Amino acid sequence: MRVPKLSLAIAAALALPALAQAQPNDDATDLDDVVVTATRTAISANDALSPVEVITHDDIARSQARSLPDLLRGRAGLSVGNQGGLGKLTTLSLRGSETDHVLVLVDGIRIGSATSGLASFQDLPVALIDRIEIVRGPRSSLYGADAIGGVIQIFTRRDRDAVAPRASVTVGSHGGREASAGIGGRVGRGWFGADAAYQRTDGINACDGSSTLFAGCFTEEPDRDGYRNRSLSLRGGFDATDTLSFEGHVLRAEGENEYDGSFVNYSEIVQQVVGAKGTWRPSENLRLQVSAGRNRDESDNFLGNVPNGYFATNRDSFTVQTDYGVGEGQLLSVGFDWLRDHADSDTAYDKNERDNRAGFVQYQGRFGAQSIEASLRRDDNDQFGGHTTGSIAWGLGFAEHWRLTAGYGTAFKAPTFNELYYPFFGNPALRPEESKTWELGLAYRSERFNARIDGFSTQVDDLIAYDAAIFLPNNIERARVRGAEIGIDTTVADWAVAASASFLDSENRVGFYAGNDLPRRAKRSARVDIDRAFGDFRFGVTAVGSSARYDDVANSRRVGGYGTLDLRAEYALTAAWSLQARVANVFDRDYETISFYNQPGREWFLTLRYAPAR
């Protein structure tokens, strides 16, 4: 990490409040976003002791993002790698962690493949997403396995206002066409919602690989690789009494993905999330919630028309959680989680099912200017036995607008079915990967200006890698990741500005490659969003930049840094109808986020949207 550049960025962030205070504030930042992911309870985002970023429904609509990876790229602590455009395999690193060190939830239900360990970000339709909460830092003491780098929770729509329809249609580059429609709202003591979406692109040439040099996708297929996605979301709930409520939800996305490869080059995918919960709140100080759900992650793979691999995962979950107010400003949460992973494949895994049972407890207390959060969790897994994690965080408010936070947490990652049970490759003796993280943060909050600076240091032990001594995966790696994140949200001369920057120093700590950077981690990245309304017209800019990174553990293959600029405009034809236009990668930059895999050049999109005021 280059400390001088980081020091300058921090100094600039600390100086900006004075500038913001001098500006008129016609559109003050909303300081009361309620989040549930940071503590598994509803709290203000500003009260959370962990770094939290909220992407609201209005943020999503204003961004005109075409996909979830497009929406997330460049945000604080996030690094996105993509294998060739819309719908292609996308990996996401949070605070320099591995992709499978990030826990992903959809409406509270854990998603992802138990065989590969990856969540299919690219297949979750952004048109059906209402809100996203990103929590940076270890959360295994609340959620169990996988939450080393943090947690990303995606929420589908919750229609609680008057019943209203909505619709949109989009056309654009590379044969892009999209459409979505839905309706939802509250009727008496109940509410409902239904949305459907369709997305299609002819794509770009995903990969510039080589079969002779064994590079990239190991083949030469200079064609366009298309993608189609059809999705449906159904939700509903009702208040049985003033203290008892029930709700349920279903999200299903089906896709067809073309790509370049020597073993497979076409996949039919399914992502499905089904869940239900009941909440009983007999008093202001007591809440009991019971929830259950299933995620199905399915991929049927082909080489041309020849089947060449089928993998499906069912993740069934059940949770009971009680929250009890033990005193003014104090909350005690106690819960039980059950999870079953079941793999279904044409590959004969040595074992295709495992259960995990866990109990957790959390205390949150606020005493004047000071706050404290402490949690402890014990997991009992069929494969690796018991594992205990814990975390503690402290906050101190001072000088009216400032708050200092500090924390420590442990986390772990359970081995995947591929690592454990794949024929002739799996090692059932693998242990979980473990981490320890220290955090320190400083935040400034006012009516006109929000800023936060967070530093962290994470040590990850027992990382799983191929062990040539036994010809199997083994717990032989160790890594250290240190970094800092800066986030700013303000309004300057009627321009809404949201900016973030990340600084990362990752290092392999053991073996032949000790001292090398971890692959696919940029040392510096940043994103800036600027928007302004001029009556019925709105204009916006998004700039994303990343420094160079290495694509392999040997640090022999360097992927260059890049910067892109997107422009967007919106015109309100009426109170409900609007016309949106977007030009992505305005300067037609040629760049990669993963070596040999292309990214789209300049693209344009035009959207007609119908959305009555919520």
Side-chain angles (χ1 to χ4, degrees), residues 283-352:
S283 69
E284 292 184 359
N285 294 326
L286 179 63
R287 189 191 74 149
L288 172 66
Q289 183 168 285
V290 180
S291 61
R294 166 178 283 191
N295 167 233
R296 182 167 180 82
D297 182 299
E298 181 179 332
S299 178
D300 198 3
N301 306 301
F302 301 82
L303 180 60
N305 295 320
V306 180
N308 199 20
Y310 173 80
F311 299 90
T313 295
N314 283 335
R315 289 193 135 166
D316 297 323
S317 58
F318 174 79
T319 295
V320 179
Q321 179 174 327
T322 300
D323 305 312
Y324 179 64
V326 295
E328 185 176 353
Q330 301 178 67
L331 184 67
L332 180 67
S333 300
V334 180
F336 169 81
D337 285 339
W338 173 84
L339 176 69
R340 170 172 292 168
D341 288 336
H342 178 87
D344 181 18
S345 175
D346 55 7
T347 298
Y349 283 86
D350 297 334
K351 186 177 179 180
N352 66 353

Side-chain angles (χ1 to χ4, degrees), residues 494-570:
D494 293 330
W495 290 89
V497 180
S500 61
S502 302
F503 304 85
L504 192 69
D505 179 22
S506 64
E507 182 183 347
N508 195 325
R509 301 299 294 273
V510 69
F512 185 77
Y513 298 114
N516 283 11
D517 290 349
L518 297 178
R520 298 182 182 176
R521 275 84 159 177
K523 289 184 177 295
R524 297 175 301 280
S525 61
R527 173 176 176 137
V528 179
D529 291 282
I530 304 175
D531 290 271
R532 181 173 177 177
F534 302 86
D536 293 333
F537 178 79
R538 178 181 290 272
F539 174 78
V541 178
T542 295
V544 175
S546 174
S547 65
R549 67 193 77 185
Y550 291 105
D551 201 60
D552 60 337
V553 294
N555 287 183
S556 61
R557 189 180 304 122
R558 184 177 182 270
V559 178
Y562 66 90
T564 62
L565 182 72
D566 301 343
L567 301 179
R568 57 185 174 272
E570 180 176 350

Side-chain angles (χ1 to χ4, degrees), residues 348-552:
Y349 283 86
D350 297 334
K351 186 177 179 180
N352 66 353
E353 188 172 280
R354 67 180 175 190
D355 288 1
N356 190 91
R357 298 155 294 276
F360 63 91
V361 60
Q362 176 184 230
Y363 170 79
Q364 302 174 67
R366 287 168 176 77
F367 308 91
Q370 299 193 61
S371 303
I372 189 170
E373 296 173 4
S375 55
L376 185 69
R377 179 179 171 114
R378 176 69 175 180
D379 284 83
D380 180 27
N381 189 279
D382 287 349
Q383 182 265 325
F384 56 78
H387 199 90
T388 301
T389 50
S391 66
I392 187 167
W394 166 83
L396 173 66
F398 64 95
E400 187 177 0
H401 298 296
W402 294 88
R403 187 171 67 163
L404 177 69
T405 58
Y408 172 79
T410 61
F412 76 101
K413 165 69 176 69
T416 68
F417 276 59
N418 285 352
E419 294 165 336
L420 290 166
Y421 307 124
Y422 199 90
F424 310 109
F425 175 80
N427 180 3
L430 288 172
R431 304 182 303 277
E433 300 172 334
E434 302 178 341
S435 73
K436 300 176 182 178
T437 299
W438 292 92
E439 300 176 283
L440 185 65
L442 180 65
Y444 178 91
R445 307 280 186 187
S446 72
E447 194 176 17
R448 296 178 173 86
F449 182 87
N450 291 338
R452 179 159 186 156
I453 302 170
D454 293 280
F456 65 92
S457 178
T458 298
Q459 175 81 31
V460 187
D461 296 314
D462 288 334
L463 280 167
I464 297 171
Y466 181 75
D467 188 346
I470 62 174
F471 304 104
L472 293 172
N474 203 1
N475 298 96
I476 59 174
E477 297 288 333
R478 188 168 69 247
R480 190 261 298 140
V481 182
R482 296 183 298 194
E485 304 141 352
I486 300 174
I488 296 172
D489 187 4
T490 187
T491 301
V492 179
D494 293 330
W495 290 89
V497 180
S500 61
S502 302
F503 304 85
L504 192 69
D505 179 22
S506 64
E507 182 183 347
N508 195 325
R509 301 299 294 273
V510 69
F512 185 77
Y513 298 114
N516 283 11
D517 290 349
L518 297 178
R520 298 182 182 176
R521 275 84 159 177
K523 289 184 177 295
R524 297 175 301 280
S525 61
R527 173 176 176 137
V528 179
D529 291 282
I530 304 175
D531 290 271
R532 181 173 177 177
F534 302 86
D536 293 333
F537 178 79
R538 178 181 290 272
F539 174 78
V541 178
T542 295
V544 175
S546 174
S547 65
R549 67 193 77 185
Y550 291 105
D551 201 60
D552 60 337

Side-chain angles (χ1 to χ4, degrees), residues 50-53 76-77 94-95 134-138 149-151 439 454 485:
S50 302
V52 179
E53 181 173 358
L94 188 53
R95 281 192 164 181
I134 304 169
V135 182
R136 303 191 297 274
V151 181
E439 300 176 283
D454 293 280
E485 304 141 352

